[in-house]
Amino acid sequence: VVESTFPPIFQERKKETMKLIVAALLAGSAVAFAPAQVAKTSTSLNAFEDELGAQPPLGFFDPLGMLADADQERFDRLRYVELKHGRICQLAFLGQIVTRGGVHLSGSIDQAGHSFDSYPNGIAALFGENAIPTAGLLQIIAFVGFLELGVMKDVTGEAEFPGDFRNGALDFGWDSFDEETKLTKRAVELNNGRAAQFGILGLMVHEKLGEIDMAVDLPIIGMLQ
């Protein structure tokens, strides 16, 4: 990672940008729980009522009408995006509780000799006075882009369902499961991803609350600063 410094005005802009991101996420969550407009149930909606993820207590839940007049291809695309977001948020939440528990990689993060634990936890590691240098952030973005474009996708065309990235190599006994077990495991992943999206959003909000002296001592991870 290459060191870089920026004037205070850029640091302030980073803080304002982060506040806008959190505000937008909160607004999106609020809309998701808003009552849906009363309308006639279309044939396309009925077709998705038995899809994986339509389960108690909400059942089939589409308050924004994103599946109105949608075909199977549209549904599969939305399911793929939902799974991707859920997987990312599970990793993000796990990263939060691990690093805040004091577990960091050993050694130095750059040639200057800065250790991994010398940088703050959470979003403060990316936006803030003590954040990693911009060059380091660009390296992270480049690596994620490489995974997105070349690895985390159905390369071989063998996917059984949206989000299946085994590509004929990673199996872990999946082919030995019966159909009921496969559906159960896929439902577990889907629900864990949904919970993680709310979980990481909650942690981000609490981090910003700490900046206005409204910090809360949370279970497991403690005070977010």
Side-chain angles (χ1 to χ4, degrees):
V1 177
V2 180
E3 289 281 356
S4 63
T5 58
F6 291 89
I9 187 173
F10 287 101
Q11 298 292 347
E12 291 300 322
R13 287 178 179 175
K14 283 185 176 181
K15 289 182 180 179
E16 293 302 320
T17 299
M18 189 56 214
K19 291 177 181 178
L20 289 174
I21 293 174
V22 172
L25 289 171
L26 284 174
S29 298
V31 172
F33 284 96
Q37 296 181 349
V38 178
K40 295 181 179 180
T41 304
S42 66
T43 303
S44 61
L45 290 180
N46 288 331
F48 303 125
E49 288 183 349
D50 294 326
E51 287 282 355
L52 183 72
Q55 52 201 38
L58 295 177
F60 180 75
F61 187 63
D62 182 29
L64 298 181
M66 299 182 71
L67 291 175
D69 301 322
D71 55 16
Q72 187 65 44
E73 182 179 0
R74 169 68 174 168
F75 177 86
D76 289 343
R77 170 60 184 170
L78 293 174
R79 173 51 50 82
Y80 170 80
V81 172
E82 180 184 18
L83 279 169
K84 180 188 291 185
H85 288 172
R87 290 167 177 173
I88 292 172
C89 289
Q90 289 178 73
L91 289 173
F93 191 88
L94 179 62
Q96 278 270 16
I97 62 177
V98 168
T99 54
R100 292 187 183 280
V103 179
H104 297 85
L105 294 175
S106 59
S108 301
I109 195 173
D110 57 18
Q111 294 181 349
H114 295 104
S115 62
F116 284 91
D117 60 1
S118 65
Y119 290 96
N121 298 314
I123 199 65
L126 301 178
F127 303 97
E129 297 179 359
N130 300 314
I132 62 176
T134 301
L137 179 58
L138 292 176
Q139 291 177 39
I140 295 174
I141 294 174
F143 179 66
V144 172
F146 165 74
L147 293 178
E148 174 74 12
L149 297 175
V151 180
M152 305 305 294
K153 58 190 297 185
D154 179 23
V155 179
T156 63
E158 301 177 72
E160 294 181 8
F161 49 85
D164 180 5
F165 299 152
R166 290 176 296 153
N167 291 310
L170 299 175
D171 185 76
F172 301 110
W174 180 261
D175 289 334
S176 65
F177 300 143
D178 57 34
E179 290 303 315
E180 183 177 357
T181 302
K182 288 181 178 180
L183 287 175
T184 298
K185 290 185 176 295
R186 289 176 59 197
V188 168
E189 181 192 21
L190 191 60
N191 283 335
N192 287 347
R194 290 169 174 174
Q197 291 178 66
F198 282 101
I200 194 61
L201 174 61
L203 294 181
M204 292 169 64
V205 170
H206 277 81
E207 283 193 57
K208 302 311 292 183
L209 290 178
E211 295 183 5
I212 55 176
D213 298 326
M214 294 180 62
V216 179
D217 192 5
L218 299 175
I220 302 178
I221 57 179
M223 190 79 68
L224 300 185
Q225 296 179 351

